[in-house]
Amino acid sequence: MPELPEVETTRRGLERHLQDRRIEDVTVRIPSLRWPFPPQLKAILPGQRIARIRRRGKYLVLDCSRGQVILHLGMSGSLRILSAGTPPGPHDHFDLLLDNDTLLRLRDPRRFGAVLWTETDAERHPLLSALGPEPLEPGFDGKLFHAVTRGRRAPIKQVLMDAHTVAGVGNIYANEALFRARINPRTPANRIGLSRYERLAAAVRETLLDAIQAGGSTLRDFVGAEGNPGYFQQQYFVYGRIGQPCRHCGNPIREVRQGQRATFYCPRCQK
DNA sequence: CGCCAGGCCTGCACGC
DNA sequence: TGCGTGCAGGCCTGGC
């Protein structure tokens, strides 16, 4: 389930394999993922060079000679570099054949991902332009977070997961960041003051950076590996730990539902 | 066998 | 009335 750290780990793993490669061919095996594959891709991409791969929230962007491929991994997507000619599995929907006998392959069993094409700046694409600030960049801090939540009465957990508030924070890391900040996930966003938002912004950053670091240690196995970039050594404080002792105070972790999503928290540590 | 996880868009209902 | 906000539904499959 790729959230920002998984997407960033993917980006880092792919970077050196894609940089300055020329696209030779495009293979599309199903008509659409979340949206139809752009019909012009097969005609337009071959011959273009990939200048770099960047990330915005959970989106990846391939900067090509004459436009940008926007990729989203949805809930089950993964990207991999393989040898040209590697037979596709049942959920391998999309390949870019590169000029060094490798291919970039998108696998996505649940098909919530996306492949899009834009010839204007990808930042101006409707999906990316509405995104909130990047949590790992200087533009995101407690002050900003506090300012944009003044009119929001929804619980902080749901506001934190809203990509239009902050980009890239999904369910797992929203739970984890709120634990680290000692904030109860059900607190209305507009009832949290500046100093707690400073804490939360820092907690979001630390949570994401720790997860990227955990993923980074598996990067060397990225190419041709069997599984997804792994997060096996990642230890969660609260996520999925219902009934288990809080790592801070020992009280059992509680689970509630917020907006149809599972929330885990320590009722004693998080006020 | 049925349910649920996950991300995030769309459409709708609501209140100021 | 209009707009921001918040909710629920939908997409899909593997794994329990």
Side-chain angles (χ1 to χ4, degrees), chain A residues 160-195:
Chain A
L160 183 53
M161 283 181 65
D162 180 352
H164 306 104
T165 312
V166 194
V169 182
N171 198 34
I172 294 172
Y173 298 114
N175 279 296
E176 293 296 300
L178 285 164
F179 175 81
R180 290 196 195 210
R182 304 282 187 259
I183 295 171
N184 188 305
R186 292 187 282 197
T187 313
N190 63 357
R191 298 240 313 271
I192 297 174
L194 177 57
S195 62

Short mmCIF file of all heavy atoms in Angstrom, two decimals, chain A residues 160-195:
data_model
loop_
_atom_site.label_atom_id
_atom_site.label_comp_id
_atom_site.label_asym_id
_atom_site.label_seq_id
_atom_site.Cartn_x
_atom_site.Cartn_y
_atom_site.Cartn_z
N LEU A 160 -5.68 15.48 8.21
CA LEU A 160 -4.30 15.11 7.91
C LEU A 160 -4.21 14.18 6.70
O LEU A 160 -3.25 14.21 5.94
CB LEU A 160 -3.69 14.43 9.15
CG LEU A 160 -2.24 13.99 9.14
CD1 LEU A 160 -1.30 15.12 8.75
CD2 LEU A 160 -1.86 13.45 10.52
N MET A 161 -5.23 13.37 6.52
CA MET A 161 -5.24 12.44 5.38
C MET A 161 -5.75 13.08 4.10
O MET A 161 -5.72 12.46 3.05
CB MET A 161 -6.13 11.24 5.70
CG MET A 161 -5.47 10.25 6.62
SD MET A 161 -6.57 8.86 6.92
CE MET A 161 -6.66 8.16 5.29
N ASP A 162 -6.24 14.29 4.21
CA ASP A 162 -6.75 14.99 3.02
C ASP A 162 -5.57 15.55 2.23
O ASP A 162 -4.88 16.45 2.68
CB ASP A 162 -7.69 16.12 3.49
CG ASP A 162 -8.27 16.90 2.32
OD1 ASP A 162 -7.85 16.67 1.17
OD2 ASP A 162 -9.15 17.74 2.56
N ALA A 163 -5.36 15.02 1.05
CA ALA A 163 -4.19 15.41 0.24
C ALA A 163 -4.20 16.89 -0.14
O ALA A 163 -3.18 17.42 -0.54
CB ALA A 163 -4.11 14.56 -1.02
N HIS A 164 -5.37 17.53 0.02
CA HIS A 164 -5.41 18.95 -0.30
C HIS A 164 -4.92 19.80 0.85
O HIS A 164 -4.66 20.98 0.70
CB HIS A 164 -6.84 19.35 -0.70
CG HIS A 164 -7.38 18.48 -1.80
ND1 HIS A 164 -8.29 17.48 -1.59
CD2 HIS A 164 -7.05 18.43 -3.12
CE1 HIS A 164 -8.54 16.86 -2.74
NE2 HIS A 164 -7.81 17.41 -3.67
N THR A 165 -4.80 19.18 2.02
CA THR A 165 -4.22 19.88 3.17
C THR A 165 -2.71 19.68 3.19
O THR A 165 -1.94 20.62 3.29
CB THR A 165 -4.81 19.35 4.49
OG1 THR A 165 -6.23 19.29 4.38
CG2 THR A 165 -4.42 20.24 5.64
N VAL A 166 -2.29 18.42 3.16
CA VAL A 166 -0.88 18.05 3.05
C VAL A 166 -0.82 16.88 2.07
O VAL A 166 -1.64 15.97 2.15
CB VAL A 166 -0.32 17.52 4.39
CG1 VAL A 166 1.19 17.47 4.35
CG2 VAL A 166 -0.80 18.33 5.55
N ALA A 167 0.13 16.88 1.20
CA ALA A 167 0.19 15.83 0.20
C ALA A 167 0.87 14.57 0.73
O ALA A 167 1.87 14.67 1.45
CB ALA A 167 0.94 16.33 -1.04
N GLY A 168 0.32 13.43 0.41
CA GLY A 168 1.06 12.18 0.58
C GLY A 168 0.88 11.42 1.87
O GLY A 168 1.45 10.35 2.04
N VAL A 169 0.09 11.95 2.82
CA VAL A 169 -0.07 11.26 4.10
C VAL A 169 -1.31 10.37 4.05
O VAL A 169 -2.43 10.86 4.01
CB VAL A 169 -0.19 12.25 5.27
CG1 VAL A 169 -0.31 11.51 6.59
CG2 VAL A 169 0.99 13.20 5.29
N GLY A 170 -1.12 9.08 4.04
CA GLY A 170 -2.22 8.13 4.01
C GLY A 170 -2.55 7.62 5.40
O GLY A 170 -2.10 8.17 6.42
N ASN A 171 -3.33 6.57 5.44
CA ASN A 171 -3.88 6.10 6.71
C ASN A 171 -2.80 5.67 7.70
O ASN A 171 -2.83 6.04 8.87
CB ASN A 171 -4.86 4.96 6.45
CG ASN A 171 -5.77 4.71 7.64
OD1 ASN A 171 -6.14 5.65 8.35
ND2 ASN A 171 -6.10 3.46 7.87
N ILE A 172 -1.85 4.90 7.24
CA ILE A 172 -0.84 4.38 8.16
C ILE A 172 -0.06 5.50 8.83
O ILE A 172 0.04 5.57 10.06
CB ILE A 172 0.15 3.46 7.40
CG1 ILE A 172 -0.58 2.20 6.90
CG2 ILE A 172 1.33 3.09 8.29
CD1 ILE A 172 0.26 1.33 5.97
N TYR A 173 0.44 6.42 8.00
CA TYR A 173 1.32 7.44 8.56
C TYR A 173 0.55 8.56 9.25
O TYR A 173 1.11 9.26 10.10
CB TYR A 173 2.28 7.95 7.49
CG TYR A 173 3.18 6.82 7.01
CD1 TYR A 173 3.10 6.33 5.71
CD2 TYR A 173 4.04 6.19 7.90
CE1 TYR A 173 3.89 5.26 5.30
CE2 TYR A 173 4.83 5.12 7.50
CZ TYR A 173 4.75 4.66 6.19
OH TYR A 173 5.52 3.60 5.81
N ALA A 174 -0.72 8.71 8.94
CA ALA A 174 -1.54 9.66 9.70
C ALA A 174 -1.69 9.15 11.13
O ALA A 174 -1.51 9.89 12.11
CB ALA A 174 -2.92 9.83 9.05
N ASN A 175 -1.98 7.85 11.26
CA ASN A 175 -2.06 7.25 12.59
C ASN A 175 -0.74 7.40 13.36
O ASN A 175 -0.72 7.79 14.53
CB ASN A 175 -2.37 5.75 12.47
CG ASN A 175 -3.85 5.48 12.25
OD1 ASN A 175 -4.67 5.76 13.10
ND2 ASN A 175 -4.19 4.94 11.09
N GLU A 176 0.34 7.11 12.68
CA GLU A 176 1.65 7.13 13.33
C GLU A 176 2.06 8.55 13.74
O GLU A 176 2.59 8.76 14.83
CB GLU A 176 2.70 6.53 12.39
CG GLU A 176 2.50 5.04 12.13
CD GLU A 176 2.68 4.21 13.40
OE1 GLU A 176 3.77 4.26 13.99
OE2 GLU A 176 1.72 3.54 13.81
N ALA A 177 1.81 9.50 12.85
CA ALA A 177 2.21 10.88 13.14
C ALA A 177 1.42 11.44 14.32
O ALA A 177 1.97 12.14 15.17
CB ALA A 177 2.03 11.75 11.90
N LEU A 178 0.13 11.11 14.38
CA LEU A 178 -0.68 11.61 15.48
C LEU A 178 -0.23 11.01 16.80
O LEU A 178 -0.24 11.67 17.84
CB LEU A 178 -2.16 11.33 15.23
CG LEU A 178 -2.78 12.25 14.18
CD1 LEU A 178 -4.10 11.70 13.68
CD2 LEU A 178 -2.96 13.66 14.75
N PHE A 179 0.20 9.77 16.77
CA PHE A 179 0.74 9.19 18.00
C PHE A 179 2.00 9.94 18.42
O PHE A 179 2.16 10.33 19.58
CB PHE A 179 1.06 7.70 17.82
CG PHE A 179 1.72 7.12 19.04
CD1 PHE A 179 0.97 6.74 20.13
CD2 PHE A 179 3.10 7.01 19.11
CE1 PHE A 179 1.58 6.24 21.29
CE2 PHE A 179 3.73 6.51 20.25
CZ PHE A 179 2.96 6.13 21.34
N ARG A 180 2.89 10.14 17.48
CA ARG A 180 4.15 10.82 17.81
C ARG A 180 3.92 12.23 18.34
O ARG A 180 4.68 12.71 19.17
CB ARG A 180 5.04 10.91 16.58
CG ARG A 180 5.60 9.57 16.16
CD ARG A 180 6.75 9.77 15.20
NE ARG A 180 7.09 8.54 14.50
CZ ARG A 180 8.31 8.25 14.08
NH1 ARG A 180 9.30 9.10 14.28
NH2 ARG A 180 8.54 7.12 13.44
N ALA A 181 2.85 12.86 17.84
CA ALA A 181 2.56 14.22 18.29
C ALA A 181 1.69 14.22 19.54
O ALA A 181 1.38 15.29 20.09
CB ALA A 181 1.87 15.00 17.17
N ARG A 182 1.29 13.03 19.98
CA ARG A 182 0.45 12.89 21.19
C ARG A 182 -0.89 13.59 21.05
O ARG A 182 -1.42 14.18 21.99
CB ARG A 182 1.18 13.45 22.43
CG ARG A 182 2.54 12.82 22.69
CD ARG A 182 2.39 11.45 23.33
NE ARG A 182 3.68 10.92 23.74
CZ ARG A 182 4.36 10.01 23.02
NH1 ARG A 182 3.88 9.56 21.88
NH2 ARG A 182 5.50 9.55 23.45
N ILE A 183 -1.44 13.55 19.84
CA ILE A 183 -2.73 14.20 19.60
C ILE A 183 -3.79 13.15 19.33
O ILE A 183 -3.57 12.23 18.53
CB ILE A 183 -2.63 15.17 18.40
CG1 ILE A 183 -1.67 16.32 18.73
CG2 ILE A 183 -4.00 15.70 18.01
CD1 ILE A 183 -1.34 17.21 17.54
N ASN A 184 -4.93 13.26 19.97
CA ASN A 184 -6.04 12.35 19.75
C ASN A 184 -6.60 12.55 18.35
O ASN A 184 -6.93 13.67 17.97
CB ASN A 184 -7.13 12.60 20.80
CG ASN A 184 -8.23 11.54 20.75
OD1 ASN A 184 -8.84 11.31 19.70
ND2 ASN A 184 -8.48 10.90 21.88
N PRO A 185 -6.73 11.46 17.58
CA PRO A 185 -7.15 11.58 16.18
C PRO A 185 -8.53 12.20 16.01
O PRO A 185 -8.87 12.69 14.94
CB PRO A 185 -7.17 10.14 15.67
CG PRO A 185 -6.57 9.28 16.73
CD PRO A 185 -6.46 10.08 17.98
N ARG A 186 -9.35 12.17 17.06
CA ARG A 186 -10.71 12.67 16.92
C ARG A 186 -10.85 14.15 17.23
O ARG A 186 -11.93 14.72 17.10
CB ARG A 186 -11.65 11.85 17.81
CG ARG A 186 -11.77 10.42 17.29
CD ARG A 186 -12.81 9.64 18.03
NE ARG A 186 -12.32 9.20 19.33
CZ ARG A 186 -12.89 8.24 20.04
NH1 ARG A 186 -13.97 7.63 19.58
NH2 ARG A 186 -12.39 7.89 21.20
N THR A 187 -9.77 14.78 17.65
CA THR A 187 -9.83 16.21 17.95
C THR A 187 -10.18 17.01 16.70
O THR A 187 -9.55 16.84 15.67
CB THR A 187 -8.46 16.70 18.47
OG1 THR A 187 -7.98 15.80 19.46
CG2 THR A 187 -8.58 18.11 19.04
N PRO A 188 -11.21 17.88 16.81
CA PRO A 188 -11.50 18.74 15.66
C PRO A 188 -10.28 19.59 15.29
O PRO A 188 -9.64 20.16 16.17
CB PRO A 188 -12.65 19.62 16.16
CG PRO A 188 -13.28 18.84 17.28
CD PRO A 188 -12.16 18.06 17.91
N ALA A 189 -10.02 19.67 13.99
CA ALA A 189 -8.80 20.34 13.54
C ALA A 189 -8.73 21.79 14.00
O ALA A 189 -7.65 22.30 14.32
CB ALA A 189 -8.70 20.25 12.02
N ASN A 190 -9.88 22.45 14.05
CA ASN A 190 -9.87 23.88 14.40
C ASN A 190 -9.76 24.11 15.90
O ASN A 190 -9.76 25.24 16.35
CB ASN A 190 -11.10 24.59 13.82
CG ASN A 190 -12.39 24.06 14.41
OD1 ASN A 190 -12.39 23.10 15.20
ND2 ASN A 190 -13.50 24.64 14.02
N ARG A 191 -9.69 23.03 16.66
CA ARG A 191 -9.53 23.20 18.12
C ARG A 191 -8.10 22.90 18.57
O ARG A 191 -7.83 22.78 19.76
CB ARG A 191 -10.51 22.28 18.85
CG ARG A 191 -11.98 22.62 18.52
CD ARG A 191 -12.77 22.99 19.74
NE ARG A 191 -12.56 22.04 20.83
CZ ARG A 191 -13.27 20.94 21.02
NH1 ARG A 191 -14.25 20.66 20.21
NH2 ARG A 191 -13.02 20.15 22.02
N ILE A 192 -7.22 22.75 17.60
CA ILE A 192 -5.82 22.50 17.91
C ILE A 192 -5.03 23.79 17.68
O ILE A 192 -5.18 24.43 16.64
CB ILE A 192 -5.27 21.36 17.02
CG1 ILE A 192 -6.04 20.06 17.32
CG2 ILE A 192 -3.78 21.16 17.24
CD1 ILE A 192 -5.71 18.91 16.41
N GLY A 193 -4.23 24.14 18.66
CA GLY A 193 -3.51 25.41 18.60
C GLY A 193 -2.19 25.32 17.88
O GLY A 193 -1.74 24.24 17.47
N LEU A 194 -1.56 26.47 17.74
CA LEU A 194 -0.33 26.57 16.96
C LEU A 194 0.78 25.64 17.46
O LEU A 194 1.43 24.95 16.68
CB LEU A 194 0.16 28.03 16.96
CG LEU A 194 1.48 28.31 16.24
CD1 LEU A 194 1.40 27.87 14.77
CD2 LEU A 194 1.82 29.79 16.32
N SER A 195 0.96 25.60 18.78
CA SER A 195 2.10 24.82 19.28
C SER A 195 1.90 23.33 19.03
O SER A 195 2.86 22.61 18.76
CB SER A 195 2.32 25.10 20.76
OG SER A 195 1.19 24.69 21.51
#
